[in-house]
Amino acid sequence: MLRKVLVFTFLSFWFYSARCQTTASVAQKTSLEALKFLVGRWAGEGSAEAGQAGEGSCSFEWKLQDQVLLRTNHAEYPATKDHAAIKHDDLMIIYPDRGKQLLRAFYTDNEGHVINYTVTPRDNGPSAVFLGDAEAGQQRFRLSYALIAPGRMTINLEMAPPDQPDQFQRLIAGQLHRSAETN
């Protein structure tokens, strides 16, 4: 009888320990904490694939009692001899998908794009990659942020053609600096 109690106790402890480790692993994979370097208001400048210089601003804010990050973005590219002026606005919600055990983001903009991203914080300093879901017949996007100095960050947006979803080419590259308006 004592042996059965010991075996039951051991198995219960093992199961509880394994469950706690799994829960901790899921919490780590779905934690927005690694993205806190993004929080604030940012102003920036960069260029589009056609060489158009542009400028804009974005903000990352905690929302829903710190359960999601909300990014709003505005960019303007002046007209050139080859391209009309561009005004771009978008919104992105970054959230933990505990069912899939990863961070996800939903993006939409004034041009009609809707993109679902998987978000991967990187270990090589404060940085993150937003990789768009591959969908048959659709372009695929990859958005990257990297903190390069206190209050300074790079941003890169890349696109892959529908028939080569892993062959990314740069669309937009820029640098952001933390705005004086940041709390």
Side-chain angles (χ1 to χ4, degrees), residues 154-165:
T154 60
I155 179 173
N156 289 294
L157 176 63
E158 301 166 290
M159 182 185 70
D163 59 335
Q164 297 176 311

Side-chain angles (χ1 to χ4, degrees), residues 28 34 120-127:
Q28 184 177 7
T120 306
R122 298 293 187 183
D123 295 331
N124 60 340
S127 62

Side-chain angles (χ1 to χ4, degrees), residues 14-75:
W14 176 80
F15 176 76
Y16 176 75
S17 176
R19 181 179 168 129
C20 287
Q21 289 175 0
T22 301
T23 302
S25 175
V26 170
Q28 184 177 7
K29 289 179 184 176
T30 60
S31 173
L32 291 167
E33 184 69 19
L35 301 178
K36 69 181 180 182
F37 74 95
L38 296 170
V39 174
R41 297 187 193 287
W42 299 85
E45 53 191 44
S47 61
E49 80 279 6
Q52 286 176 287
E55 57 184 46
S57 62
C58 68
S59 68
F60 288 86
E61 300 176 66
W62 294 110
K63 294 292 185 182
L64 301 179
Q65 299 178 21
D66 297 345
Q67 297 301 303
V68 301
L69 276 176
L70 174 68
R71 183 193 84 164
T72 55
N73 181 61
H74 175 78

Side-chain angles (χ1 to χ4, degrees), residues 47 117 128 130 141-146 153-159 170-176:
S47 61
Y117 287 107
F130 293 67
F141 294 90
R142 182 169 60 192
L143 176 64
S144 304
Y145 291 97
M153 174 164 63
T154 60
I155 179 173
N156 289 294
L157 176 63
E158 301 166 290
M159 182 185 70
R170 182 175 288 164
L171 285 177
I172 297 171
Q175 286 204 10
L176 302 170

Side-chain angles (χ1 to χ4, degrees), residues 8 12-13 15 23 25 27 36 77 84 88 100-101 109-110 142-143 155 166-167 170-171:
F8 177 75
S12 296
F13 178 74
F15 176 76
T23 302
S25 175
K36 69 181 180 182
Y77 297 91
H88 175 88
K100 293 182 180 178
Q101 300 182 16
D109 66 25
N110 64 307
R142 182 169 60 192
L143 176 64
I155 179 173
D166 295 319
Q167 301 298 313
R170 182 175 288 164
L171 285 177

